[in-house]
Amino acid sequence: MARAKKNVEAPKVSLGAEIFAALRDLEKTKGIPVDYMVERIKQGMANAYRKDREDRRDVPADNVVVELTEQVLSVHVIKTVVEEVEDTALEIHIDAAKNIQPNAQLGDQLRIAVDVDKFSRIAAQTFKQVVIQGIREAERGMVYESYADKAQELMTATILRIDPNGNIFVRIGQGNEMSDAVMRPSEQIPGEQYTEGQMIRVYVLEVRQAQRGPLVHVSRTHPNLVRRLFELETPEIAEGQVEIRNIAREAGSRTKMAVRAAMEGVDPVGACVGPRGGRVGAVVEELGGEKIDIVVWSEDPCEYVRAALSPADVVSVAAIPGQKACRVIVPDDQLSLAIGKEGQNARLAARLTGYKIDIKPASQAEAEE
């Protein structure tokens, strides 16, 4: 293997200290690590040299060595010492090599200094583009890492614009962690009016890395938006005294939420409703008047179904053998309330409990018996 030879020191540019000072300022203001930007600058210098060649020959990246410290900024190109030059980009004649390194021998890998002061305007532009791209990529990476941990969280968003397809673009976060997000039509509460500049609470569905930066999707219809709002309004939930077991929601219309006490002496429904209904009222207001039924979760499927059909009164609930289903009997005057408008109450109760519910009025049940 040909042995590498040390070469005469390359021309040094007194920019090292200034560059590092600027990079430290960049790290303070944008949080971009100095080491990351040093590597991008070195890459930019290497690309600049490769674009600046008069022979228009492309030089492999491994043949360009950039050194950047606080004391020195230098560029070297590695060429092989040969007796007959066929590729001026990668080879140097033995006589020319000896002028640089007197003890140079055939086959040596010679590091030849490059005068960076003579880089052309095109090379300078190449260097600038690489550095700018490095800053953008670093910012996108930091935003992605920041918001990747915020998936499934509640955030406050400001509406920026609404496109013709109905997508709503919002801005979430603050300062360096600020990012844009999109709320698709399917994630918007039916009938809710949105205007530019309006501030709304949103649930972060997912954060994906895309070419132009992190892509954040938010929602106003997801059941967990209700969960996060109650966690925010109810100290007993945040402290673990009350647990939200399940939520069934038809956004903009009605939500049913099952809760249980995680410790004795706590009223789970009363905790969520709050003094004078203030806690549930705050959630309802945030959701534009959406009705919310809060019921007690139970291990007994029949008791759970009975509670889930609230606000309707129930005469009896019986499990159907061999099926995950219940037969429910209600007073005749409660039938429409139990079923709900267009079947909504019964439908949400079934989704909340996971049981198929067969509702019959008491008169029909008596006749069948």
Side-chain angles (χ1 to χ4, degrees):
M1 180 182 292
R3 59 186 183 279
K5 292 284 187 176
K6 288 187 176 180
N7 187 28
V8 179
E9 287 296 324
K12 296 181 176 58
V13 180
S14 59
L15 291 177
E18 294 182 16
I19 290 175
F20 271 82
L23 294 182
R24 291 191 185 96
D25 288 341
L26 188 64
E27 186 174 41
K28 289 179 182 178
T29 57
K30 293 184 176 291
I32 302 175
V34 171
D35 292 344
Y36 171 83
M37 286 309 303
V38 166
E39 292 304 314
R40 294 312 298 254
I41 290 174
K42 290 167 66 174
Q43 179 187 348
M45 294 295 295
N47 288 352
Y49 168 75
R50 296 166 66 192
K51 292 285 186 181
D52 194 45
R53 297 186 53 78
E54 294 180 359
D55 56 13
R56 305 297 181 185
R57 293 293 302 276
D58 190 18
V59 179
D62 291 342
N63 284 62
V64 182
V65 179
V66 180
E67 182 182 3
L68 174 58
T69 67
E70 293 199 52
Q71 291 74 37
V72 63
L73 169 62
S74 64
V75 180
H76 289 83
V77 59
I78 298 177
K79 293 187 177 184
T80 303
V81 180
V82 296
E83 191 168 4
E84 185 176 348
V85 176
E86 295 181 358
D87 188 344
T88 57
L90 301 176
E91 298 173 340
I92 183 172
H93 193 273
I94 181 64
D95 294 336
K98 287 183 177 295
N99 290 332
I100 300 173
Q101 185 65 270
N103 60 348
Q105 299 179 20
L106 293 174
D108 285 350
Q109 300 292 304
L110 198 64
R111 290 171 54 128
I112 303 171
V114 176
D115 188 354
V116 296
D117 288 336
K118 295 182 179 179
F119 277 9
S120 68
R121 179 177 58 84
I122 295 177
Q125 289 176 346
T126 302
F127 169 71
K128 182 179 179 181
Q129 289 171 358
V130 171
V131 174
I132 291 175
Q133 183 66 20
I135 294 175
R136 289 175 179 169
E137 290 178 1
E139 289 177 331
R140 290 168 185 165
M142 289 186 297
V143 172
Y144 172 75
E145 291 176 3
S146 172
Y147 279 94
D149 296 334
K150 290 182 172 61
Q152 303 181 1
E153 292 299 326
L154 180 72
M155 299 196 73
T156 300
T158 302
I159 296 178
L160 299 178
R161 63 185 178 90
I162 304 172
D163 74 9
N165 295 323
N167 294 305
I168 296 178
F169 295 89
V170 301
R171 181 154 293 163
I172 55 178
Q174 296 178 346
N176 292 334
E177 293 188 353
M178 188 178 297
S179 179
D180 291 348
V182 62
M183 183 165 63
R184 293 167 291 196
S186 60
E187 303 299 337
Q188 300 165 25
I189 296 177
E192 191 169 52
Q193 299 297 315
Y194 302 102
T195 58
E196 293 182 4
Q198 178 184 353
M199 296 185 68
I200 56 175
R201 292 275 178 80
V202 295
Y203 176 74
V204 181
L205 282 177
E206 63 172 352
V207 183
R208 292 190 289 111
Q209 187 68 284
Q211 289 184 347
R212 295 187 176 182
L215 185 61
V216 184
H217 284 126
V218 297
S219 174
R220 290 272 294 168
T221 62
H222 199 283
N224 279 344
L225 175 66
V226 178
R227 182 188 298 272
R228 295 291 181 256
L229 287 170
F230 272 102
E231 289 173 351
L232 189 66
E233 295 290 340
T234 311
E236 289 85 349
I237 296 177
E239 294 169 3
Q241 299 176 22
V242 174
E243 178 185 358
I244 299 175
R245 294 290 297 185
N246 198 16
I247 295 174
R249 184 184 184 203
E250 292 186 0
S253 181
R254 196 179 202 97
T255 287
K256 285 185 178 289
M257 183 172 75
V259 296
R260 66 177 288 272
M263 59 185 297
E264 293 184 2
V266 177
D267 175 10
V269 175
C272 293
V273 171
R276 299 182 181 179
R279 294 172 181 173
V280 68
V283 177
V284 169
E285 183 179 0
E286 175 61 40
L287 299 177
E290 184 173 316
K291 295 181 177 64
I292 299 178
D293 299 331
I294 305 173
V295 304
V296 177
W297 177 86
S298 175
E299 292 182 353
D300 183 345
C302 293
E303 287 301 315
Y304 191 16
V305 169
R306 179 190 294 270
L309 286 170
S310 173
D313 295 328
V314 176
V315 174
S316 66
V317 181
I320 299 176
Q323 301 180 43
K324 194 173 183 180
C326 290
R327 181 173 292 111
V328 177
I329 298 175
V330 299
D332 288 22
D333 62 352
Q334 294 285 301
L335 180 62
S336 61
L337 186 61
I339 295 175
K341 184 179 180 180
E342 298 179 351
Q344 184 185 67
N345 195 60
R347 184 169 59 250
L348 285 174
R351 284 165 51 189
L352 185 72
T353 61
Y355 276 73
K356 183 179 179 180
I357 302 175
D358 180 20
I359 303 175
K360 291 185 178 181
S363 60
Q364 181 181 343
E366 290 175 1
E368 290 177 354
E369 289 178 359

